[in-house]
Amino acid sequence: MALTSKQRAYLRSIGHVQNAIFQVGKGGINDNFIKQISDALDARELIKITVLETALSSAREVCGELCEAVGAEPVQCIGNKLIIYRESAEKKKEGKSIVLPK
């Protein structure tokens, strides 16, 4: 599912006020980290991640790699922060999913 510019702007406005819940450092991205990201996306749908200066990859590279690994959509990548989104089937079933504009 590709996000429209209106949906991306809406998700950016929500993600802007969130605190980063993960950090990518010199250890990079491993299977355990990908599992934690996937679990967080199931629980929250929208997460913010900080890429530390010690990381071997840039924030854009990390964003692309994570989105591909967990099936998420990139929302924003500015400086060392990135926001990614993945709709959660469980939250949608409960009616607690983020409602995106058309």
Side-chain angles (χ1 to χ4, degrees), residues 41-57:
L41 285 168
D42 286 339
R44 297 176 178 228
E45 293 187 319
L46 186 72
I47 60 172
K48 185 186 268 188
I49 302 165
T50 301
V51 179
L52 301 175
E53 288 185 22
T54 58
L56 303 175
S57 302

Side-chain angles (χ1 to χ4, degrees), residues 17-28:
V17 296
Q18 286 185 345
N19 292 323
I21 60 170
F22 289 103
Q23 294 181 334
V24 178
K26 65 181 175 188

Side-chain angles (χ1 to χ4, degrees), residues 2 16 35 55:
H16 178 72
K35 169 95 172 79

